[in-house]
Amino acid sequence: MTQRLVIAIDGPSGSGKSSTARGVATRLGLGYLDTGAMYRAVTCAFVDAGVAPSDTAGVIAATVGAQLEISTDPADQWVRVNGVDVTERIRSQEISSVVSAVSTVAECRADLVARQRAIIDAAPSGIVAEGRDITTVVAPDAHLRVLLTADPEVRMARRKQDLGGEVDAAALADQVLRRDRDDSKLVNFTTAADGVVHLDGTYLTLEQTINTVIDLVGRND
């Protein structure tokens, strides 16, 4: 790509936004930013500090004080918090069950949004950033903004596959549906804002979804 591109993709849990964003970034030679991994990483920080999820002041302090490093290479994803690699741990039920203690607190979101904007601005050729509020808060001036959705049943099935099938129904519903309800208290990732393209991926394969987003990039040139 000769033009610096910023592509923003939002969506609920299990909508396929992470796989789609990585695929688009790979195909277009762009960086990739998984903002959800940042929320999960600072969750590790407050858990390791012995802070209870209900201790909002403690969660804010742990978030703001966290030393956070994250890869933007779509082929080599890792995240570290306070010098510790938490790439695998952030996907555990231990972290998934309490990440909303960070994502539903305005002060925590403001801190992470500032970090995300800095990463996006530093990407030399551009970046595909995905999360909950990228199209509306983090990068509202992105070249392309997409809200990727899918039916709840499909989203839960996809998340179960991502986890290797090793999750019970209650934990799966917690990771997908409960987290969506919690996070929607602060950000709207179910309805496309003005200028945001709504893409329903319920009946699309991953490759079809990636191709659709790349086609949309071309149309926005």
Side-chain angles (χ1 to χ4, degrees):
M1 302 294 295
T2 57
Q3 176 187 7
R4 187 179 185 278
L5 287 176
V6 175
I7 300 172
I9 301 178
D10 285 333
S13 301
S15 60
K17 61 183 183 293
S18 296
S19 298
T20 298
R22 276 198 309 274
V24 170
T26 300
R27 292 263 296 273
L28 297 182
L30 304 176
Y32 163 65
L33 179 60
D34 177 358
T35 64
M38 298 173 71
Y39 284 91
R40 289 171 174 270
V42 296
T43 299
C44 293
F46 87 71
V47 169
D48 290 347
V51 176
S54 58
D55 179 1
T56 302
V59 171
I60 293 171
T63 297
V64 173
Q67 179 188 358
L68 186 58
E69 303 167 273
I70 187 167
S71 169
T72 56
D73 180 350
D76 182 24
Q77 284 291 289
W78 51 261
V79 59
R80 304 184 188 110
V81 65
N82 297 329
V84 178
D85 189 310
V86 293
T87 307
E88 298 298 327
R89 185 184 173 199
I90 61 172
R91 305 300 173 186
S92 68
Q93 180 60 19
E94 171 204 20
I95 299 305
S96 296
S97 64
V98 293
V99 66
S100 290
V102 175
S103 61
T104 59
V105 175
E107 292 87 348
C108 293
R109 295 198 76 93
D111 177 77
L112 290 172
V113 164
R115 299 184 196 225
Q116 292 156 15
R117 286 174 174 163
I119 293 170
I120 291 170
D121 290 343
S125 59
I127 199 164
V128 184
E130 54 94 353
R132 303 286 210 190
D133 58 357
I134 313 303
T135 64
T136 55
V137 177
V138 179
D141 297 323
H143 178 82
L144 173 67
R145 297 179 295 154
V146 176
L147 176 66
L148 180 60
T149 63
D151 289 346
E153 295 79 7
V154 171
R155 293 193 287 114
M156 286 195 289
R158 288 173 178 171
R159 180 52 54 88
K160 185 172 184 178
Q161 183 176 21
D162 290 343
L163 297 171
E166 298 178 0
V167 59
D168 61 35
L172 187 64
D174 179 78
Q175 286 202 30
V176 177
L177 304 181
R178 192 271 304 165
R179 277 203 56 223
D180 284 351
R181 287 194 301 269
D182 287 349
D183 286 357
S184 65
K185 295 173 185 175
L186 278 185
V187 292
N188 182 0
F189 50 88
T190 57
T191 304
D194 289 344
V196 177
V197 178
H198 179 206
L199 176 58
D200 186 341
T202 301
Y203 302 107
L204 298 178
T205 65
L206 174 59
E207 189 65 18
Q208 288 172 328
T209 307
I210 292 170
N211 287 338
T212 300
V213 173
I214 291 175
D215 286 344
L216 289 169
V217 172
R219 293 179 201 173
N220 278 24
D221 285 344

